[in-house]
């Protein structure tokens, strides 16, 4: 399951709640594109902004629209108490895997993070993916902690952030210290092709949540070992990657979904604002330049 | 109200809920010490870890135990929707002021933060304090944003973090750009004496939440212009300040409250762990060295 393309849809919301019809449409596009898995309630799915009822709604809608495609559910929260409740809800709704980031306000220690994963892994019956996202959690995993976590039951994947240094080197190093039973997956769409070419098992993809065929083509080329083709496909999307790095990928894909009419603007919860007018002009140019405007 | 000593009590919790009796005891100690104000649901009061019902319980218990001492309530949350609800709850419970940090998961832009404060300031009837805490929110305020926010109605105080550079210089610089009607208050107990001597109006104090008389003595000395005495009193607490910087002040004051029997261990919500055995040994030595052990 934790191989190939895991596509992350937005959770379109208004101040009143989740837009279930729009979410169904977003997930159905991914199902139709035959992605390997669908990651709901990821960072792109704004899980920390949703309450328990809203998260359950998202899961039920997504599992139905996924029509058998495995659904991986984000379950992160500040308190272990809530994480365990969300894990139970996700399993009940039919999630095939759970994605857990060490969400923090007071910065967590290594032992606190280990304890969180230990408590969750011992309470669930489906695979758990360690979600390393220092930009949002403020917590930096060490390779030693990865290795300890990989020994826990149910921990079957690690989702790594784009590394500061060369991504191929990072993936190779991680593969050498982690057991083969643990999937190594990449975040940071602009380094995904290189990571896959270096042996990463899975791409946890933001662009795949809106343009699944575009992302799938990169996965297919990399998996087939067509290095130059995979690199060229990724390089062709550089105008989009630049906007991701500048504005945050969430704001960009929300604007894409609004542009194509897949969601109603504004689709992000306040205080988050969509892209500025200037950002939308840049996006329109990037969509034209990459051939995604259609 | 936003002058002198604002003492921040812990919110003692178990996995089941708030320990109301212990909270009453903690707040009553501050009331008896005649602090200028009591800051509940601050970072020390673990506001982001509590649900709406728990926050309301804390407010009701604290306002009763404060017996007329002004209570300032933390109202931060990821969504504007929740912040507005917490603000209303806090006013209903009798809070005299509201403390708002730009809590984030996806990092907020300056315009998003401005919009948050604008929306809240226009919806409330009591003073709002801008809570600048980059270590927990990941958001760095600029002086320009401070100045814009100070022009909003109801924004009557700014709580600044310990600056990287000299604190006296920072306080003086801020005082020169902000209107006199806006209180400048300091966080980071180890720089509080210097900040007060440089003209800061208020000390938002963690140590004051457990040892109010000790903190009050520093405020009194600084306010009276007794520079060397204020500095000596603060310097004498350096063993405690060192533990604050090493372990985070929350874990240290929770261990203090547990040591003195004011709260039942464990008093922090999982995945947060209390101080390690080694940390508690260091704390015991620090309490002895500073004369706080009694």
């Amino acid at each position: 399951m934790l191989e190939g393309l895991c596509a992350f849809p937005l959770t379109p919301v208004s101040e009143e709640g989740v837009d279930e019809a729009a979410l169904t449409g977003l997930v159905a596009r991914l199902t139709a594109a035959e992605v390997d898995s669908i990651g709901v309630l990821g960072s792109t799915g704004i899980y920390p902004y949703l309450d328990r009822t809203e998260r359950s709604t998202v899961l039920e809608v997504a599992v139905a629209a996924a029509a058998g495609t495995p659904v991986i559910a984000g379950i992160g929260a500040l308190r272990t108490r809530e994480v365990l409740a969300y894990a139970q809800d996700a399993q009940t709704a039919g999630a095939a895997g759970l994605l857990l980031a060490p969400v923090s306000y007071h910065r967590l220690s290594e032992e606190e993070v280990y304890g969180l994963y230990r408590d969750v892994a011992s309470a669930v019956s489906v695979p758990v993916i360690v979600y390393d996202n220092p930009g949002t959690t403020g917590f930096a995993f060490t390779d030693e902690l990865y290795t300890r976590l990989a020994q826990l039951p149910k921990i079957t994947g690690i989702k790594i952030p784009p590394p500061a240094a060369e991504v191929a080197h990072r993936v190779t190093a991680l593969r050498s210290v982690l057991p083969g039973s643990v999937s190594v997956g990449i975040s940071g769409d602009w380094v995904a092709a290189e990571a896959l070419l270096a042996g990463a098992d899975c791409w946890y993809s933001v662009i795949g949540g809106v343009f699944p065929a575009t992302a799938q083509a990169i996965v297919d080329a990399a998996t087939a070992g067509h290095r130059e083709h995979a690199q060229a496909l990724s390089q062709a999307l550089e105008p989009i990657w630049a906007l991701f790095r500048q504005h945050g990928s969430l704001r960009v894909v929300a604007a894409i979904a609004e542009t194509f009419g897949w969601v109603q603007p504004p689709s992000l919860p306040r205080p988050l604002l969509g892209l500025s007018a200037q950002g939308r002009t840049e996006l329109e140019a990037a969509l034209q330049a990459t051939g995604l405007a259609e």
Side-chain angles (χ1 to χ4, degrees), chain A:
Chain A
M1 178 175 68
L2 304 180
E3 295 179 340
L5 179 63
C6 180
F8 281 74
L10 290 163
T11 302
V13 298
S14 69
E15 295 305 309
E16 282 68 49
V18 174
D19 184 338
E20 298 183 35
L23 178 60
T24 294
L26 291 172
V27 174
R29 294 184 75 245
L30 307 181
T31 306
E34 298 184 356
V35 299
D36 295 293
S37 59
I38 297 172
V40 301
L41 298 172
S43 292
T44 301
I46 60 167
Y47 70 95
Y49 299 82
L50 304 179
D51 65 26
R52 186 171 182 179
T53 303
E54 289 168 330
R55 293 197 197 201
S56 287
T57 298
V58 169
L59 283 162
E60 288 159 16
V61 167
V63 169
T69 303
V71 169
I72 294 167
I75 58 168
L78 282 175
R79 289 185 71 163
T80 303
R81 179 181 73 174
E82 272 76 49
V83 174
L84 292 171
Y86 296 149
Q88 188 56 54
D89 290 349
Q91 290 184 108
T92 301
L98 306 172
L99 181 63
L100 176 57
V103 180
S104 71
Y105 179 82
H106 291 288
R107 293 290 166 259
L108 296 172
S109 71
E110 189 150 316
E111 282 312 301
E112 288 167 342
V113 170
Y114 181 79
L116 171 66
Y117 285 99
R118 182 198 58 217
D119 290 347
V120 173
S122 65
V124 301
S125 58
V126 298
V128 175
I129 304 153
V130 175
Y131 184 6
D132 181 356
N133 189 335
T136 56
T137 67
F139 182 79
F141 284 84
T142 61
D143 285 5
E144 184 190 1
L145 180 56
Y146 279 163
T147 306
R148 287 179 70 198
L149 293 173
Q151 293 163 13
L152 289 170
K154 302 301 177 193
I155 302 287
T156 53
I158 296 179
K159 177 178 187 289
I160 67 169
E166 199 208 344
V167 66
H169 179 74
R170 179 76 188 118
V171 169
T172 305
L174 261 186
R175 272 274 56 120
S176 74
V177 298
L178 291 174
S181 58
V182 171
S183 161
V184 173
I186 188 73
S187 298
D189 284 1
W190 52 94
V191 297
E194 289 296 342
L196 291 165
L197 288 166
D201 303 287
C202 188
W203 175 14
Y204 297 99
S205 176
V206 177
I207 198 74
V210 283
F211 297 123
T214 304
Q216 188 68 53
I218 293 176
V219 172
D220 291 345
T223 306
H226 299 154
R227 173 172 298 273
E228 290 183 11
H229 187 47
Q231 290 171 330
L233 290 171
S234 179
Q235 184 57 37
L237 296 171
E238 178 55 31
I240 300 289
W241 305 153
L243 292 175
F244 276 19
R245 293 189 297 263
Q246 182 182 352
H247 299 288
S249 58
L250 174 67
R251 293 182 184 88
V252 177
V253 290
I256 289 172
E258 292 171 6
T259 296
F260 282 85
W262 300 327
V263 304
Q264 291 295 316
S267 58
L268 299 175
R270 288 188 298 151
L272 295 175
L273 299 172
L275 278 190
S276 64
Q278 169 67 21
R280 285 171 197 268
T281 301
E282 294 166 7
L283 173 60
E284 183 57 36
L287 290 171
Q288 293 289 345
T290 55
L292 292 168
E294 294 170 17

